[in-house]
Amino acid sequence: MAASLTGLLKPWTPRVLLVRWSRYNPYYLEPGPRKEVYHIPETELTPEQKEERELKSVRPIKAATNSVTSSVFNDPVLSKFVNMMMKDGDKIIAKGIITQTLENMKRKQVEKYHKAPEGKKAEIECNPYAIFHQALENCKPVIGLTSIQKGGKFYQVPIPLTDNRRRFLAMKWMITECRDNKHRRTLMYEKLSQELLAAFSKEGNVVKRKHELHKMAESNRAYAHYRWW
Amino acid sequence: MAASGGRTVGSFLWKCGNCCFNFNTVSSNLTRQVLSRQLCVSAVLHRKNLAAAGPEKFSEEFIKKQVEEFNIGKRHLANMMGEDPETFTQGDINRSIAYLFPSGLFDKKAKPLMKHPDEVFPKQRAVQWGADGRPFHFLFYTGKQSYYSLMHVSTGSLVGSRWLLKEELEELLVETISEHDYARFIQLMERLLSLPYCSVEEDFVQRYRRQLEIQSSKQQVQPLQYDQHGVAYSTGDGRRKTATGTVLLRDSGSGSISINGTNYVHYFPVLQDREQLMFPLHFMGVLGRFDMQCSVSGGGHSSQAGALRLAISRAMLSFLSEGQVETMRQAGLLTPDPRIKERKKPGQEGARRKFTWKKR
């Protein structure tokens, strides 16, 4: 009856507690906080967008999380990076480090810009967000390795990686690199800005690690048929 | 018959392993002697549907050029015959060609002909794949993509409707049915929708579906209230985890926010919390328009900010139109966040953390 439908709209706890469950009934859809999507007039929508809008108008929508806003400065990739850097739930410190890193990168780039001759000025990227994104792209591995057991032995088999996994690996390597391989006195934001600028120009330890992974995958190409999925 | 004769010769030629059109590439002497006389065997004799044979053998420019040549030739022919080029029909062309090139052959297809290139060159399909080799149509690898996509014409939009519930079905049938019967009914209806040509039975299917109600109609919007100076105001309240907040929104136009008596910059020193307060205002583009007096208690700084965000969104509803209410809902501003701290379970140290595993 109507009861079973309203039951879908309340905050719920599933009968059998799964490992990954949330207080939202699976009936709820994800929110879309960006402003521009809602200003497209009816006539310019593709059929998929129209269908999506129809679906969203009849389904309940989840609440937007704390870290998400409609502002232009809100970057989902950067938010993910902040969360990965966070320790013990202290987001204020992690966000502060990232802000200092971006400022530091901007300062270095502007210094380089002013020192460069006229011809080279246009090539120097000063936008710290663009540098961050490009550096992360340069660190993402294309192929990964996984351990597969065959005949009692474990082999490192090359496998394709999903987008999320690649992004996660790039961020993880960046953070571990900055935490481990630095001098005792250098601060995190200093080391992170150095690493990001190096990754932007495809140098540095993180990009080296990515290349080593690619080389391992290439050398283990013979075992690729061990993968059955 | 000449046609069958052509076919046998053609099959003989195929057996020799040569295509009659490019005998220049033939290397062995034997086959060259065989092909000293060019036999034009029409490909139409070998296959029924040349259009489906493969990607285009004649390019678009070639066909266009042929059409131009045909049109020019038609006018020349009309001039030769002394007729008016504008009103020269295909029948006239046939008669003129029969007059100018009298042929003693019996086979109609062997006589000289002048027809529009669309009738001469078989209709063919454009190349079905892009530069990277990936086909355009998702049914390409079935071999008959147009046929299968025709067979699987889908019904009208099923997005805004749901199947009848068990109780509603019982009401319709005036009979009691068991859970098993109902499950079987849904299974068969879904199967019906997955079959080809299901759009034919759309009326039948729609009888057993009910429209889902538009969610935004469930929002309760308080009417706007006016105070003694004529300034419009509205209130809203919201909750998040254990924090509760109320807000009084005034349409005065200065954009000042005070929380529990203090300025919002002092109350929320963290940028993220202030951004959460701004989120509903920025989303609707009314940042400097409203004056807010908020009071909040309970929880931590994040949950207080979340509670106030919900309160602000709810208070803003009175100032907005229907479409804007729907966009706010789809942005996730009007749903109360149901996430709470997960309870600790017996036999574990916390909600998820288990006790240290000891082998013995």
Side-chain angles (χ1 to χ4, degrees):
Chain A
M1 220 14 156
S4 55
L5 273 186
T6 48
L8 290 174
L9 300 171
K10 291 191 201 127
W12 83 322
T13 316
R15 285 261 181 83
V16 184
L17 272 180
L18 313 155
V19 178
R20 287 174 144 227
W21 62 277
S22 88
R23 287 276 286 171
Y24 290 108
N25 196 296
Y27 196 56
Y28 278 68
L29 296 175
E30 296 292 328
R34 297 234 64 98
K35 271 210 288 197
E36 303 81 38
V37 188
Y38 301 106
H39 289 314
I40 311 173
E42 273 289 325
T43 44
E44 285 173 37
L45 294 175
T46 63
E48 290 100 12
Q49 282 179 317
K50 279 204 184 97
E51 217 184 288
E52 207 189 300
R53 266 211 194 169
E54 256 187 62
L55 183 67
K56 279 202 157 183
S57 69
V58 289
R59 288 275 196 103
I61 310 269
K62 295 184 186 175
T65 36
N66 262 0
S67 44
V68 152
T69 51
S70 59
S71 114
V72 291
F73 302 111
N74 177 253
D75 188 3
V77 180
L78 203 63
S79 306
K80 200 50 114 173
F81 195 72
V82 169
N83 286 342
M84 284 188 65
M85 190 172 273
M86 174 166 65
K87 276 187 180 176
D88 296 329
D90 214 337
K91 192 164 322 209
I92 304 173
I93 296 184
K95 184 87 180 126
I97 294 174
I98 297 291
T99 324
Q100 285 171 320
T101 311
L102 294 172
E103 190 193 328
N104 202 323
M105 281 204 298
K106 176 103 189 190
R107 277 183 198 279
K108 285 188 190 164
Q109 288 296 94
V110 169
E111 207 183 308
K112 243 171 59 174
Y113 179 86
H114 286 308
K115 284 194 191 146
E118 277 308 317
K120 304 280 176 118
K121 279 199 180 197
E123 292 163 2
I124 297 180
E125 176 67 56
C126 280
N127 184 1
Y129 294 95
I131 297 176
F132 175 77
H133 284 123
Q134 188 54 47
L136 211 63
E137 273 297 320
N138 292 346
C139 293
K140 282 187 188 174
V142 168
I143 193 169
L145 289 175
T146 186
S147 200
I148 293 187
Q149 189 188 22
K150 191 132 172 140
K153 267 173 67 177
F154 287 89
Y155 297 98
Q156 290 293 317
V157 175
I159 52 159
L161 297 171
T162 58
D163 260 339
N164 278 345
R165 179 79 186 150
R166 294 169 61 207
R167 194 185 57 181
F168 171 78
L169 281 175
M171 292 187 189
K172 185 91 179 168
W173 290 342
M174 182 65 74
I175 295 171
T176 41
E177 164 67 34
C178 293
R179 280 182 186 161
D180 302 340
N181 299 354
K182 67 180 171 80
H183 184 68
R184 185 180 59 86
R185 291 292 292 261
T186 44
L187 297 174
M188 181 69 176
Y189 73 86
E190 177 65 45
K191 171 76 180 166
L192 187 55
S193 60
Q194 282 169 9
E195 244 355 278
L196 282 171
L197 285 170
F200 180 68
S201 34
K202 298 209 173 114
E203 305 146 353
N205 284 344
V206 193
V207 184
K208 201 171 81 157
R209 188 167 170 179
K210 173 188 91 152
H211 287 318
E212 273 168 20
L213 179 65
H214 284 174
K215 277 192 211 132
M216 275 285 285
E218 180 63 36
S219 67
N220 280 11
R221 220 170 52 173
Y223 301 130
H225 66 286
Y226 283 173
R227 182 173 67 98
W228 63 85
W229 61 89
Chain B
M1 247 313 279
S4 54
R7 198 177 290 124
T8 47
V9 169
S11 55
F12 172 66
L13 275 177
W14 284 125
K15 274 184 201 157
C16 293
N18 285 307
C19 181
C20 45
F21 291 111
N22 45 356
F23 62 90
N24 296 323
T25 59
V26 165
S27 49
S28 84
N29 289 333
L30 180 63
T31 42
R32 199 166 293 177
Q33 282 161 20
V34 167
L35 286 175
S36 57
R37 204 157 46 98
Q38 184 181 358
L39 291 167
C40 192
V41 178
S42 160
V44 177
L45 290 176
H46 294 295
R47 272 192 257 223
K48 280 198 195 131
N49 189 0
L50 198 66
E56 48 194 325
K57 297 206 175 59
F58 311 108
S59 60
E60 239 183 84
E61 303 108 51
F62 175 76
I63 300 270
K64 252 191 246 168
K65 209 162 62 104
Q66 294 292 316
V67 172
E68 276 166 33
E69 280 180 8
F70 171 76
N71 285 331
I72 294 171
K74 197 167 94 164
R75 299 184 76 89
H76 279 312
L77 190 61
N79 279 332
M80 271 195 272
M81 300 300 290
E83 309 237 358
D84 182 20
E86 305 298 327
T87 55
F88 207 55
T89 61
Q90 187 60 45
D92 292 331
I93 297 177
N94 293 343
R95 270 187 293 108
S96 321
I97 296 288
Y99 172 73
L100 289 170
F101 303 101
S103 159
L105 303 172
F106 288 112
D107 186 9
K108 292 254 169 47
K109 290 185 194 168
K111 291 180 187 165
L113 68 84
M114 182 164 167
K115 283 220 170 100
H116 191 88
D118 280 346
E119 290 163 46
V120 173
F121 296 104
K123 243 178 111 182
Q124 55 197 356
R125 209 184 285 163
V127 172
Q128 299 294 324
W129 50 86
D132 56 352
R134 248 181 120 227
F136 297 133
H137 203 278
F138 74 105
L139 288 173
F140 173 78
Y141 288 110
T142 57
K144 308 184 227 180
Q145 65 183 45
S146 312
Y147 169 69
Y148 282 108
S149 66
L150 172 67
M151 293 292 276
H152 286 269
V153 170
S154 55
T155 53
S157 171
L158 297 167
V159 167
S161 54
R162 57 163 176 89
W163 291 116
L164 285 184
L165 295 173
K166 179 162 170 286
E167 290 78 10
E168 288 166 352
L169 187 62
E170 281 180 347
E171 221 177 270
L172 195 70
L173 302 174
V174 198
E175 273 173 10
T176 44
I177 50 177
S178 72
E179 282 279 344
H180 181 262
D181 291 334
Y182 177 66
R184 181 82 178 130
F185 163 72
I186 297 292
Q187 188 189 24
L188 286 177
M189 295 300 271
E190 289 288 340
R191 179 127 189 274
L192 181 68
L193 286 178
S194 68
L195 290 172
Y197 275 113
C198 46
S199 50
V200 176
E201 294 302 321
E202 189 164 339
D203 292 325
F204 171 72
V205 167
Q206 287 295 344
R207 251 187 284 156
Y208 297 99
R209 283 191 84 95
R210 293 277 175 272
Q211 283 303 114
L212 286 169
E213 46 193 37
I214 306 290
Q215 289 291 327
S216 59
S217 57
K218 288 195 194 158
Q219 293 293 339
Q220 281 133 347
V221 180
Q222 313 298 49
L224 215 49
Q225 291 156 304
Y226 292 89
D227 70 356
Q228 60 214 114
H229 300 289
V231 177
Y233 73 94
S234 72
T235 52
D237 50 277
R239 259 190 282 199
R240 170 95 215 274
K241 279 191 191 174
T242 32
T244 51
T246 50
V247 85
L248 180 78
L249 215 61
R250 252 202 287 266
D251 194 2
S252 42
S254 72
S256 70
I257 307 179
S258 75
I259 308 180
N260 287 354
T262 52
N263 196 6
Y264 73 111
V265 184
H266 300 309
Y267 194 83
F268 285 131
V270 182
L271 176 68
Q272 187 180 284
D273 301 335
R274 293 199 296 274
E275 272 183 343
Q276 287 296 294
L277 288 186
M278 302 298 163
F279 184 8
L281 304 173
H282 176 263
F283 187 76
M284 300 287 30
V286 291
L287 270 176
R289 185 171 144 193
F290 295 110
D291 255 355
M292 291 194 269
Q293 278 174 314
C294 326
S295 63
V296 67
S297 64
H301 63 97
S302 259
S303 37
Q304 283 187 347
L308 281 180
R309 184 185 90 186
L310 185 58
I312 293 170
S313 319
R314 283 186 177 158
M316 263 175 71
L317 288 183
S318 335
F319 293 93
L320 299 175
S321 68
E322 273 279 338
Q324 288 174 316
V325 167
E326 175 62 22
T327 46
M328 287 253 295
R329 188 189 73 90
Q330 287 194 8
L333 285 166
L334 297 174
T335 327
D337 204 328
R339 299 179 292 171
I340 50 167
K341 191 165 166 170
E342 203 176 314
R343 72 159 276 197
K344 176 197 174 313
K345 282 111 196 167
Q348 293 174 7
E349 195 172 315
R352 298 279 168 123
R353 166 139 172 90
K354 324 282 185 281
F355 290 124
T356 318
W357 182 74
K358 294 199 178 67
K359 203 158 172 182
R360 36 189 82 84

